[in-house]
Amino acid sequence: MSTAQNPTPITAGPMAGDQVKQALIAHPGSSTIELAEATGLGKSTVGKALAALEAAGLARRDIPAVNAGGRRPAAQWNAITTDPDSHGSEPRGNQRGSGADPAADSTRSSTNPAAGDRLRPGQLGTLVLEYLVAHAQEPVGPTTVSKALNRSSGAVANVLARLAASEDIVLVTETPRRYRLTS
């Protein structure tokens, strides 16, 4: 007996999407779990509906900053509406920020995301290179760069190794690993 893979993605039904949209309007800033409780739908169904709403430009996910304990609180969801009487927000696209200061969120460039924001593919390499340019006078290690950028030290180490292999930077010392820009 063979098992065929379903080539179509599993999505939340239109009725679930409508329920979640209404819950977003009624409960702005709610987490996925809170929306699941408000709608009576399962967390997975709500998550799929939120992803579909976000892709359609009808919902926005705000990712809070890491708290003092080093843990990140759950993402907060808001409806994107143009109706000033609703509790949703004005259209902002798919911006992701801390949600604490919308003005600061809108001033971030694509090369200067807030610490903790999810990066696009290849964006960490740009951030690491910018850091190395700003600190060209001193050899730096992955831990120093990762702390300054508030990023994973393993991911930063991988980027540094890749940049060294492409000869954009040079490995100054092997143990401990220290890098600097090529002259």
Side-chain angles (χ1 to χ4, degrees):
M1 175 154 100
S2 69
T3 58
Q5 299 245 344
N6 186 358
T8 58
I10 299 172
T11 59
M15 195 158 52
D18 291 341
Q19 286 179 293
V20 172
K21 173 77 173 175
Q22 292 305 314
L24 278 174
I25 293 170
H27 307 285
S30 296
S31 70
T32 304
I33 293 173
E34 292 167 339
L35 291 168
E37 291 171 357
T39 60
L41 299 170
K43 181 182 169 203
S44 175
T45 303
V46 171
K48 291 172 189 169
L50 287 169
L53 289 169
E54 184 179 33
L58 300 173
R60 183 186 75 244
R61 175 178 20 188
D62 293 322
I63 302 173
V66 176
N67 64 23
R71 302 201 75 158
R72 182 180 309 279
Q76 297 173 338
W77 289 90
N78 290 291
I80 296 177
T81 64
T82 54
D83 180 13
D85 295 332
S86 73
H87 294 87
S89 62
E90 292 299 316
R92 288 181 38 187
N94 285 338
Q95 293 179 356
R96 293 181 182 173
S98 65
D101 186 1
D105 290 345
S106 64
T107 60
R108 288 192 194 115
S109 69
S110 61
T111 58
N112 186 21
D117 279 357
R118 187 169 187 103
L119 301 177
R120 293 184 316 269
Q123 194 174 7
L124 181 59
T126 303
L127 292 174
V128 170
L129 272 175
E130 287 174 354
Y131 182 85
L132 288 171
V133 167
H135 298 86
Q137 69 280 5
E138 60 194 60
V140 294
T143 304
T144 304
V145 177
S146 69
K147 285 181 180 179
L149 299 177
N150 194 24
R151 302 291 169 186
S152 160
S153 60
V156 169
N158 290 340
V159 167
L160 288 169
R162 190 169 45 251
L163 290 171
S166 68
E167 299 179 358
D168 291 329
I169 63 173
V170 63
L171 178 64
V172 178
T173 61
E174 185 73 33
T175 306
R177 288 190 180 271
R178 298 289 180 256
Y179 299 88
R180 68 180 160 108
L181 285 175
T182 54
S183 304

